[in-house]
Amino acid sequence: TYWVATGDGLVHFNPIETPSNGQLPNQSKLGGGVSSTTNRFTIYRPEGNEDNHSFNVLLQDQTNVIWGGTDAGLYKMEKTGGQWSLSSVDIGLPKNHWSSSVVAIIQDHQQALWIGTTNGLYHRFADGRVEHFTTREGIPFDDVRSLLEDDKGRVWVGTSLGLCSLLPEAERGKTVVDRVYGEQDGLPAKIVTSLFESDGELWVGTSGGLSRSVTSGSQQQFRSYTTGEGLSDKLVTKLAEDQAENLWIGTESGGAMKLARNGFTTYSEGDGLNGTRIASIFENRDGELFVVANKGYIQRFDGRGFVATKPNLPTQIKDAGWGWHQIAFQDRNGEWWVPTSQGLCRFARVSRIEQLAQTRPKALYTTRDGLTGDQIFRLYEDVRGDIWISTLDHEGSTLTRWDRATETFHPYTSADGMPGTAPTAFGEDRAGHLWIGFSGGGVVRYSSGHFAMFTPTDGLPAGMIRDLYLDQSGRLWIATGLGGLARVDDPTMENPRFVNYTVANGLASNQVTCITEDRQGRIYVGTGRGLDRLDLHTNRFKHYTAADGLGNNFVNVSFRDHQGVLWFGTLQGLARLIPADRPLSAPPILITALRVGGVAKTLSDLGERTLNGLVLEPDQNQFQIEFVGLSFGVGDTLRYQIKLEGADDDWSLPTEERAVNYARLAPGTYRFFVRAVNADGVVSATPASISFRVLPPIWQRWWFVLLSTLLLSGLIYVGYKFQVKRLLEIERVRVRIATDLHDDIGSSLSRMAILSEVVKQDSSVIHRESLERLTNIAETSRSLVDTMSDIVWSIDPRRDDVQSVVLRVRQFASDIFEPRGIRWEFHSPPELSRVKLSPEQRRHLFLIFKEALTNIVRHANSANVFLKIQTGKEQLQAEISDDGIGLSASTNPGSEVNGRGGHGLENMRARAKQIGGALEIYSTPCDGTKVTLTMPINRAYGMNMLFRLWRK
């Protein structure tokens, strides 16, 4: 929670709670202070001083007591019994308004309070004792504006008439002040408004600007920054530091500013630069840094600013030239080379650059001396000490080499392999090959007097070559004006391979102007839209612009000095960057807004890291989530990755979008994660998350499914019971019919046959015609008995298996084969009793056997008959064969043997078809006949029967 000092009381702000209604705050007495409360804000005002409720400063001490400085004295806020109470603390302040204002409070390492007032400095010990220091004890002025205890335990006091440091307690006597600092020490003004310490450096905010402590020998001095160095307002009111160690500067009227700790320091004309269009940055043999700004001046950096020197050029030279990168330099022998538009000047060695202003050139080289032109654009000294000179006067003849050994010039033209446009960049690889880039595009590699040209047809990007750079790993980098950045990993290869980077890979622009490298091996690429840093370990680019401290977004030239400091010349000033050795810390991430079905959910005003336990109705399945990451690093642009656990397998690709919308989420349990990714690829240590569950519709919930399942199961059970009951009733009817047929009708027919035979025995009283009729009656009765026996067997439910068919076929075969002396065999497996058949299947199967056996007896004239039944997977196969005379060739499939008409075979095939089977007949004259029946069976016939009945 937060405590806020306002002009009308002390406010306790709880960002986690939100107002429950739109009512105005209630007024009430609370703990000695008048309080105004809502759920988020509680306002405390001092009692007894209704005209003055202004709080100026706050401090939370080590015991969590809140100390407040007001225009009416010192107050403290303590929590007792769960309630905060505000009370006045007497330190001896006068009662009049002007002299009782408390404007600064700190707590030192001994837990004593230092209190700055308009009536001097007060020192309140932990036991309540108070000391009072004013100008009598050496304080510069009784109006104390700011206080600080540094990391050495020294107390600093800022007043309206300067800054002072206090003596250690043991050394204090009549005076408590060690030293007073003022404008004579570098402070921009006497009124010291704020103090801050960072990394041992003292920062001082004044009414005239910002100062930083600088140790000069044993003396403490200050370097000042005012509006001339970029401050928006010279009256600095507050100083603070963020987690990236950037200094934040609060001003009276100019807003807040950020001074980047590891950012850019920009130099302009106020720092001594004679021109801000930076064309060249380089060092001399002594490691001094120099800048050329296209005005003929060579400017030396003295550690704080630049000192400009204009070389003493011959009077006939009117223009100093306009190239970039290396356009003036000190060679290996200490001599200075200065290009102009009327020739190349060579100066003898001088001890200080400033001496060039009075020194006449050692030589002025022009076309008369062998140069290809007088307008010098670019210079480069190679490892052998030879100087390469680019000129712009004559097309096709723009490159000249000055040979140091002979001090002669050697021009190169298209006849030597030159492309015909001006050289704009030079570089050398580790093998000593010279690389040259040209204004019309393309690069040339010079080795042993020969030029090898590489163009876009070889993979090189298009456009003017602005810079060539060899990194510490021996790779060659090429800056092009249209095609981005190119890299050659091995410049010594006969056919080098170019690896290209463009905006598609993260570059800010394909207009690349310059290249340099820090000591960590990271590549810095100047473009027309700022500066890009490429980390080769991650292949990520980090982007810097004028908002990060660059003087201008067009980075013209770059350079790394011998201390590893990077310098970037823009079209509006020079920028210095000291690269950070360590990457920025992982950025924290917060969820700032959540809308479910368009309705905002209550979150903390400061954002949430974790939200758990959200249970949502089925129609609340539309989510909108907003989030933000916090990073104060220079050039650090955060991107975000999201993942919805329960729907996504992995993190999304990084994007700068700070909101996500999920429409129509399916019912289920989800967990949303979001994390920030900085420019170095470092992700948030702990992602922000939301755990929630979208309830399914009522008909998909477990209890509904369970009840529905139970209800359906009950209906199925009732139906099953009903069908079983019906089947049992049918079984009983079948048994009764079979019993009645056998007992009643069968016995009557048998009786008729017997009586007919008895009457026939009494031949004395029977006429011949009557005897024949009685014979027919007896035969018919016996035939009906046989037929009825088959019918009774077929409907008897106790015979619903294949084994019953086998037994009946055995009985029938025995009855018809044995009286005729025909030998027969019947093979069947024992498990046939477990194979169930329907009554229809059982009847047709038996009748097919009966018809086939009858045909064998009547027509086959066979001595042996073989019967076989076997079962396979969901199939029954029956086989009947004999060794008789076979079927004659003239016999059609529907006829019987020997030409006698009949329908036996047709009936057998029809019966097989009715039960879903197939009948095949194989016969060879004089070699017997084989009948094979294949029919489907179902071992779970009973359950299938129930299912068919249930569907009906």
Side-chain angles (χ1 to χ4, degrees):
T1 61
Y2 290 75
W3 292 91
V4 186
T6 78
D8 192 25
L10 177 60
V11 178
H12 186 209
F13 171 49
N14 183 355
I16 298 176
E17 297 184 6
T18 55
S20 58
N21 53 56
Q23 302 297 319
L24 293 175
N26 297 320
Q27 300 292 325
S28 63
K29 292 277 187 176
L30 184 61
V34 177
S35 161
S36 174
T37 64
T38 66
N39 286 350
R40 287 189 296 175
F41 298 97
T42 304
I43 305 173
Y44 298 88
R45 299 186 177 95
E47 288 184 318
N49 194 346
E50 302 302 328
D51 296 330
N52 193 346
H53 296 155
S54 179
F55 276 75
N56 303 317
V57 63
L58 296 176
L59 171 74
Q60 183 178 27
D61 68 17
Q62 297 180 13
T63 62
N64 292 326
V65 173
I66 308 298
W67 296 88
T70 75
D71 287 342
L74 182 67
Y75 284 80
K76 69 176 179 178
M77 177 71 75
E78 295 180 287
K79 194 171 188 178
T80 56
Q83 297 290 333
W84 289 98
S85 61
L86 181 66
S87 59
S88 176
V89 179
D90 184 13
I91 58 174
L93 282 168
K95 299 302 181 183
N96 65 78
H97 170 66
W98 170 250
S99 300
S100 59
S101 293
V102 176
V103 295
I105 308 172
I106 64 169
Q107 186 178 37
D108 64 20
H109 63 284
Q110 295 178 339
Q111 299 189 20
L113 294 182
W114 293 88
I115 303 152
T117 76
T118 52
N119 190 48
L121 177 64
Y122 289 82
H123 185 204
R124 185 179 187 275
F125 293 91
D127 58 8
R129 291 182 297 114
V130 177
E131 291 180 338
H132 183 207
F133 306 116
T134 64
T135 53
R136 295 188 301 271
E137 287 76 31
I139 301 296
F141 193 63
D142 288 345
D143 183 17
V144 176
R145 298 292 189 93
S146 55
L147 295 167
L148 172 74
E149 183 186 35
D150 65 21
D151 57 5
K152 298 181 178 62
R154 181 170 47 177
V155 176
W156 293 82
V157 182
T159 74
S160 296
L161 288 178
L163 173 69
C164 69
S165 58
L166 302 187
L167 290 166
E169 184 175 0
E171 300 177 18
R172 296 170 194 163
K174 291 183 179 181
T175 180
V176 298
V177 174
D178 180 26
R179 185 182 169 187
V180 177
Y181 300 87
E183 293 171 305
Q184 70 279 4
D185 302 294
L187 291 178
K190 296 178 181 179
I191 301 177
V192 178
T193 55
S194 54
L195 297 168
F196 190 80
E197 184 184 29
S198 176
D199 284 343
E201 289 185 330
L202 180 66
W203 292 85
V204 183
T206 74
S207 59
L210 177 66
S211 294
R212 176 172 60 92
S213 64
V214 177
T215 302
S216 178
S218 60
Q219 298 297 318
Q220 189 92 22
Q221 297 290 325
F222 293 90
R223 179 181 177 185
S224 296
Y225 307 88
T226 64
T227 52
E229 285 74 38
L231 283 180
S232 58
D233 184 10
K234 64 180 181 180
L235 179 49
V236 177
T237 58
K238 189 65 179 176
L239 299 172
E241 192 175 66
D242 64 29
Q243 61 185 6
E245 299 181 349
N246 301 310
L247 185 68
W248 288 81
I249 307 161
T251 68
E252 183 195 38
S253 305
M257 292 169 289
K258 181 180 75 171
L259 180 60
R261 172 69 63 184
N262 294 312
F264 295 92
T265 302
T266 303
Y267 298 88
S268 61
E269 291 176 337
D271 301 287
L273 283 177
N274 194 323
T276 58
R277 190 181 181 92
I278 309 301
S280 177
I281 311 169
F282 63 96
E283 285 182 325
N284 67 0
R285 297 171 68 250
D286 297 326
E288 293 180 301
L289 185 81
F290 294 89
V291 169
V292 176
N294 273 343
K295 286 191 176 181
Y297 288 89
I298 302 175
Q299 304 173 76
R300 178 177 59 85
F301 182 60
D302 63 4
R304 298 186 61 176
F306 289 87
V307 179
T309 298
K310 188 170 185 178
N312 184 16
L313 300 177
T315 57
Q316 68 268 31
I317 295 178
K318 307 300 182 183
D319 192 353
W322 61 276
W324 58 72
H325 289 294
Q326 195 177 68
I327 54 179
F329 69 97
Q330 186 183 35
D331 68 16
R332 61 174 59 188
N333 293 331
E335 294 185 328
W336 284 88
W337 295 75
V338 179
T340 76
S341 294
Q342 289 82 37
L344 177 60
C345 290
R346 176 184 178 189
F347 289 85
R349 179 174 181 175
V350 292
S351 58
R352 296 176 65 248
I353 184 66
E354 289 77 11
Q355 293 173 342
L356 289 183
Q358 291 80 36
T359 303
R360 295 180 62 84
K362 180 178 178 179
L364 173 62
Y365 299 111
T366 65
T367 53
R368 294 189 303 269
D369 303 289
L371 285 176
T372 57
D374 290 337
Q375 188 172 351
I376 311 301
F377 179 76
R378 183 82 156 80
L379 300 175
Y380 181 78
E381 183 181 21
D382 64 22
V383 294
R384 292 172 294 274
D386 293 350
I387 296 176
W388 295 78
I389 307 158
S390 169
T391 60
L392 302 177
D393 296 70
H394 304 288
E395 182 138 348
S397 179
T398 57
L399 179 64
T400 304
R401 177 176 60 88
W402 180 76
D403 186 278
R404 181 171 293 276
T406 62
E407 294 197 358
T408 58
F409 292 93
H410 300 272
Y412 297 94
T413 66
S414 56
D416 301 295
M418 299 295 293
T421 59
T424 50
F426 294 88
E428 286 180 272
D429 60 30
R430 288 181 173 177
H433 302 147
L434 179 68
W435 290 77
I436 308 171
F438 294 87
S439 60
V443 294
V444 163
R445 181 173 62 190
Y446 176 76
S447 177
S448 302
H450 299 284
F451 293 94
M453 187 73 183
F454 302 100
T455 66
T457 59
D458 301 296
L460 179 71
M464 175 192 294
I465 306 302
R466 286 288 308 249
D467 194 13
L468 295 168
Y469 181 81
L470 190 77
D471 69 17
Q472 57 197 20
S473 298
R475 293 175 292 235
L476 180 69
W477 296 84
I478 305 171
T480 73
L482 295 175
L485 177 69
R487 187 188 83 218
V488 179
D489 291 331
D490 186 359
T492 64
M493 290 178 60
E494 181 178 355
N495 297 305
R497 188 175 69 91
F498 298 93
V499 179
N500 300 329
Y501 300 85
T502 66
V503 291
N505 306 106
L507 268 179
S509 170
N510 284 340
Q511 182 186 18
V512 178
T513 56
C514 56
I515 307 165
T516 190
E517 177 188 22
D518 63 22
R519 287 179 172 173
Q520 286 75 43
R522 295 171 294 197
I523 303 299
Y524 291 76
V525 183
T527 75
R529 298 184 62 187
L531 176 68
D532 288 335
R533 190 193 74 189
L534 172 61
D535 189 332
L536 290 172
H537 295 292
T538 62
N539 247 13
R540 289 189 175 94
F541 284 95
K542 184 174 184 177
H543 190 53
Y544 303 91
T545 66
D548 302 301
L550 284 173
N552 179 266
N553 280 341
F554 193 100
V555 182
N556 196 39
V557 291
S558 60
F559 182 75
R560 186 183 80 192
D561 65 24
H562 67 282
Q563 295 177 330
V565 176
L566 304 182
W567 298 83
F568 302 96
T570 74
L571 300 186
Q572 290 182 321
L574 179 70
R576 181 186 69 179
L577 176 66
I578 301 176
D581 293 334
R582 57 183 177 85
L584 294 173
S585 58
I589 182 75
L590 295 167
I591 294 170
T592 56
L594 171 63
R595 292 177 179 83
V596 180
V599 179
K601 293 293 183 180
T602 299
L603 303 183
S604 166
D605 291 334
L606 302 181
E608 300 280 1
R609 295 186 185 275
T610 304
L611 292 171
N612 292 318
L614 294 179
V615 180
L616 308 172
E617 295 300 322
D619 59 348
Q620 294 179 311
N621 60 349
Q622 188 271 332
F623 261 66
Q624 184 178 352
I625 306 168
E626 297 177 14
F627 39 83
V628 65
L630 303 177
S631 178
F632 299 103
V634 176
D636 200 23
T637 300
L638 293 185
R639 294 179 297 168
Y640 301 90
Q641 291 181 289
I642 61 173
K643 180 173 69 172
L644 184 62
E645 197 174 80
D648 300 332
D649 295 328
D650 203 355
W651 291 97
S652 68
L653 294 175
T655 174
E656 293 185 12
E657 293 294 326
R658 294 196 293 109
V660 64
N661 186 68
Y662 292 102
R664 297 188 178 183
L665 286 173
T669 300
Y670 300 93
R671 194 172 183 190
F672 171 80
F673 293 97
V674 58
R675 66 187 185 186
V677 185
N678 67 16
D680 294 313
V682 180
V683 301
S684 304
T686 304
S689 64
I690 304 176
S691 298
F692 62 96
R693 182 161 62 97
V694 178
L695 295 175
I698 290 178
W699 58 86
Q700 293 182 7
R701 299 185 187 180
W702 68 269
W703 56 266
F704 186 89
V705 174
L706 179 61
L707 289 177
S708 301
T709 303
L710 292 175
L711 178 61
L712 181 61
S713 300
L715 292 175
I716 292 174
Y717 179 74
V718 171
Y720 170 76
K721 292 287 288 184
F722 175 77
Q723 292 302 325
V724 169
K725 181 179 178 182
R726 292 287 299 161
L727 286 175
L728 291 175
E729 290 175 355
I730 292 172
E731 293 289 319
R732 294 190 186 100
V733 170
R734 289 172 61 193
V735 171
R736 185 172 67 251
I737 292 173
T739 302
D740 291 345
L741 285 173
H742 181 272
D743 294 345
D744 296 339
I745 299 176
S747 60
S748 298
L749 290 174
S750 298
R751 185 167 176 272
M752 289 173 59
I754 294 172
L755 291 175
S756 298
E757 291 295 331
V758 171
V759 172
K760 284 172 60 180
Q761 298 299 325
D762 191 4
S763 56
S764 59
V765 295
I766 298 177
H767 295 287
R768 181 177 179 84
E769 293 82 359
S770 297
L771 183 63
E772 291 178 354
R773 292 188 183 99
L774 287 174
T775 300
N776 289 334
I777 291 172
E779 290 178 352
T780 301
S781 297
R782 283 192 292 271
S783 176
L784 287 174
V785 170
D786 292 340
T787 303
M788 184 195 64
S789 177
D790 291 342
I791 295 173
V792 170
W793 175 81
S794 66
I795 66 172
D796 191 343
R798 293 166 292 184
R799 305 292 186 263
D800 286 346
D801 55 68
V802 177
Q803 187 64 32
S804 297
V805 177
V806 171
L807 293 177
R808 189 158 186 84
V809 169
R810 285 182 182 275
Q811 180 64 45
F812 181 76
S814 175
D815 291 342
I816 64 174
F817 287 152
E818 292 178 0
R820 292 169 176 78
I822 299 174
R823 183 176 175 273
W824 63 281
E825 293 181 10
F826 199 164
H827 300 280
S828 64
E831 66 268 13
L832 292 180
S833 61
R834 296 194 297 271
V835 180
K836 300 297 182 180
L837 299 174
S838 67
E840 183 181 13
Q841 289 176 313
R842 182 157 54 91
R843 177 170 175 270
H844 285 300
L845 178 61
F846 172 69
L847 292 179
I848 289 172
F849 268 103
K850 187 175 181 180
E851 182 71 26
L853 298 182
T854 302
N855 285 338
I856 291 173
V857 170
R858 291 178 179 177
H859 311 295
N861 194 23
S862 64
N864 297 284
V865 178
F866 302 94
L867 307 176
K868 182 180 179 182
I869 290 182
Q870 60 185 2
T871 59
K873 185 177 182 181
E874 306 294 329
Q875 195 175 63
L876 180 144
Q877 188 177 57
E879 185 179 296
I880 307 167
S881 61
D882 63 66
D883 56 357
I885 62 176
L887 298 177
S888 66
S890 62
T891 304
N892 62 57
S895 67
E896 298 190 18
V897 298
N898 300 326
R900 298 175 57 188
H903 302 283
L905 296 181
E906 288 183 358
N907 290 341
M908 291 169 64
R909 285 193 174 93
R911 292 183 187 281
K913 186 175 181 180
Q914 288 182 25
I915 57 177
L919 188 73
E920 295 181 356
I921 301 175
Y922 306 94
S923 179
T924 303
C926 302
D927 198 22
T929 302
K930 183 170 72 172
V931 178
T932 302
L933 170 69
T934 303
M935 60 174 285
I937 59 173
N938 192 333
R939 297 180 186 274
Y941 163 73
M943 291 302 299
N944 285 340
M945 187 67 179
L946 283 176
F947 180 68
R948 288 196 296 271
L949 291 172
W950 169 254
R951 288 204 306 175
K952 291 178 182 179

